[in-house]
Amino acid sequence: MASQQKTSRKAAGTQAAIRRPQARAANSRSQRGDAGDDIGLDALVGHAGYAVRRFQLWIFQDFIKTLATVDIRPTQYSVMTVIGANPGLSQMAVAKRLGIERARLVHLLDSLEERDFVSRIASATDRRSHALHLTARGRTALAQFKRLAAEHERHVAEKIGKENRERLLQILACFT
Amino acid sequence: MASQQKTSRKAAGTQAAIRRPQARAANSRSQRGDAGDDIGLDALVGHAGYAVRRFQLWIFQDFIKTLATVDIRPTQYSVMTVIGANPGLSQMAVAKRLGIERARLVHLLDSLEERDFVSRIASATDRRSHALHLTARGRTALAQFKRLAAEHERHVAEKIGKENRERLLQILACFT
DNA sequence: TATTGTTATACTCTATAACTATA
DNA sequence: TATAGTTATAGAGTATAACAATA
């Protein structure tokens, strides 16, 4: 069945395909070569998820660009920030708090430890777990990251408006 | 250098590691076994990107769950919606409009075509491109998807409040 | 038995580059 | 030469399962 479809697709790509007159629907502009600028999205307007997805893409791209000089990505920043504010946390605790898989946190911490920003110290009370701390270098670096992150937040404010940014933070406060 | 770090990590995992008294910082609770419920996030509050990321995770999970019976994911929904509202679009036009890679759209359309929701029809004017249309079955299915998506939007309204949802859509209108 | 950190696997998504057939 | 669709590959990100050490 999959091969059937493949065949029909290939056929459409290379040679004549069934051109059905049936397809003349509501919004009908039958053949358009436009580049996507004037395409009606009516049906997606009013969908919160779509707007939020597009916004998230923009905001992460700006964050990554703004912190490109220090090569820190949003998740790395959030990990260092939480450890900095709560030294001694276990990996499980950090993973749960940030909603990331503990398996993934292992690799994130590997890279942060290689760069000497974070250290895993044997827990005094539970020999299974590590107490996470920023190194001296990590604390200095985080201070710089925070200055760049603040610059990124200013970009957000410029993009959607200062008041709108604050309204947004209020509305979404229940998700932090 | 990487191997050095690996070694130190392994050592920390199995045996005694350097426990530095240095690490006693501002917020200091040195050893905590808690499960992540009462961890201060102070430093992440006020970061739009973090709030938006958490919200996006929630909203996509709810969308996927609400449309699980019809096995349609957010991106598939957006593709069918745009094609339904603009029949005859090329793949490039759809990709550009939705901000997805044209290479990825190929596979998305493959699966939608296999399920007989969408058809690629040879363009009358440009033999390189395909005109995209919903099939009859696709139009019927999309109507049902839209009913389920509306249910999902009600979940969003319940979660953050009806007025807040509308404020959010206004604020993010520039990203659609 | 259950949990912590770890490794491994698979699947989605994103980002590229290259190939073909057309323009 | 450039563009549309396709294929392939590599990197993040997510979701699991399993394992050793420890509780």
Side-chain angles (χ1 to χ4, degrees):
Chain A
M1 180 211 167
S3 65
Q4 233 183 60
Q5 292 298 135
K6 283 280 178 194
T7 306
S8 84
R9 180 156 58 78
K10 294 276 184 188
T14 55
Q15 249 318 310
I18 325 89
R19 208 161 314 125
R20 319 186 209 176
Q22 148 237 57
R24 187 156 296 273
N27 207 345
S28 67
R29 288 174 277 176
S30 203
Q31 214 60 241
R32 319 198 302 179
D34 53 16
D37 300 322
D38 61 340
I39 299 172
L41 257 186
D42 334 279
L44 283 181
V45 172
H47 287 60
Y50 182 73
V52 170
R53 170 180 166 258
R54 298 298 298 240
F55 182 49
Q56 219 240 272
L57 289 179
W58 184 91
I59 209 168
F60 265 51
Q61 276 166 11
D62 185 84
F63 187 98
I64 293 168
K65 203 192 323 167
T66 308
L67 279 82
T69 50
V70 293
D71 190 27
I72 285 289
R73 296 172 63 83
T75 312
Q76 296 175 307
Y77 176 81
S78 69
V79 168
M80 285 188 65
T81 296
V82 166
I83 296 175
N86 308 272
L89 283 184
S90 71
Q91 295 185 196
M92 271 305 289
V94 171
K96 276 191 182 166
R97 187 59 189 88
L98 291 177
I100 57 189
E101 286 298 317
R102 72 188 202 273
R104 208 189 141 222
L105 185 59
V106 171
H107 302 296
L108 284 167
L109 288 174
D110 284 353
S111 77
L112 293 176
E113 210 175 26
E114 273 172 26
R115 294 168 71 180
D116 192 27
F117 290 154
V118 167
S119 65
R120 294 185 244 223
I121 299 179
S123 164
T125 55
D126 184 339
R127 291 173 58 202
R128 291 173 304 181
S129 79
H130 300 157
L132 300 174
H133 294 272
L134 296 184
T135 63
R137 183 154 180 259
R139 280 190 292 279
T140 306
L142 182 55
Q144 188 196 359
F145 302 163
K146 284 186 176 175
R147 284 192 294 274
L148 291 168
E151 190 184 322
H152 156 70
E153 289 298 326
R154 283 193 291 276
H155 299 168
V156 176
E158 279 166 29
K159 181 73 178 178
I160 66 176
K162 196 171 182 305
E163 333 69 37
N164 282 338
R165 177 180 161 277
E166 277 163 24
R167 243 170 270 163
L168 198 86
L169 284 171
Q170 283 169 6
I171 293 173
L172 301 184
C174 55
F175 288 95
T176 58
Chain B
M1 181 211 171
S3 64
Q4 234 183 60
Q5 293 299 134
K6 282 280 178 195
T7 306
S8 85
R9 179 157 60 77
K10 294 278 184 185
T14 52
Q15 250 318 310
I18 326 88
R19 206 162 314 123
R20 321 186 207 176
Q22 149 236 56
R24 186 156 296 274
N27 206 344
S28 67
R29 288 173 278 177
S30 202
Q31 212 61 242
R32 320 198 301 182
D34 53 15
D37 300 322
D38 61 341
I39 300 173
L41 256 187
D42 334 278
L44 283 180
V45 173
H47 287 60
Y50 182 74
V52 170
R53 170 178 166 258
R54 298 299 296 241
F55 182 50
Q56 219 239 276
L57 289 178
W58 183 90
I59 210 168
F60 266 49
Q61 277 165 10
D62 185 84
F63 188 99
I64 293 169
K65 202 193 322 168
T66 307
L67 278 82
T69 50
V70 293
D71 190 25
I72 285 289
R73 297 171 63 82
T75 311
Q76 296 175 308
Y77 176 82
S78 69
V79 168
M80 286 188 64
T81 296
V82 167
I83 295 174
N86 307 274
L89 283 185
S90 70
Q91 296 184 194
M92 271 304 289
V94 171
K96 274 191 183 167
R97 187 62 190 85
L98 292 176
I100 57 190
E101 286 298 317
R102 73 189 202 270
R104 205 187 145 225
L105 185 59
V106 171
H107 301 296
L108 284 167
L109 288 174
D110 284 352
S111 77
L112 292 175
E113 209 174 28
E114 274 171 26
R115 294 168 71 179
D116 193 28
F117 288 155
V118 167
S119 67
R120 293 186 244 223
I121 300 180
S123 164
T125 55
D126 186 339
R127 291 173 58 204
R128 291 172 304 181
S129 79
H130 300 157
L132 300 173
H133 294 273
L134 296 185
T135 63
R137 185 156 178 259
R139 279 189 293 277
T140 308
L142 182 55
Q144 188 195 359
F145 303 162
K146 284 186 176 176
R147 284 192 295 274
L148 291 169
E151 191 183 321
H152 156 71
E153 289 297 327
R154 285 193 291 277
H155 298 168
V156 175
E158 280 166 28
K159 180 72 177 178
I160 66 176
K162 195 171 183 304
E163 332 71 36
N164 281 338
R165 176 180 162 279
E166 276 162 26
R167 242 169 273 165
L168 198 86
L169 284 172
Q170 282 169 6
I171 293 173
L172 301 184
C174 55
F175 288 97
T176 58

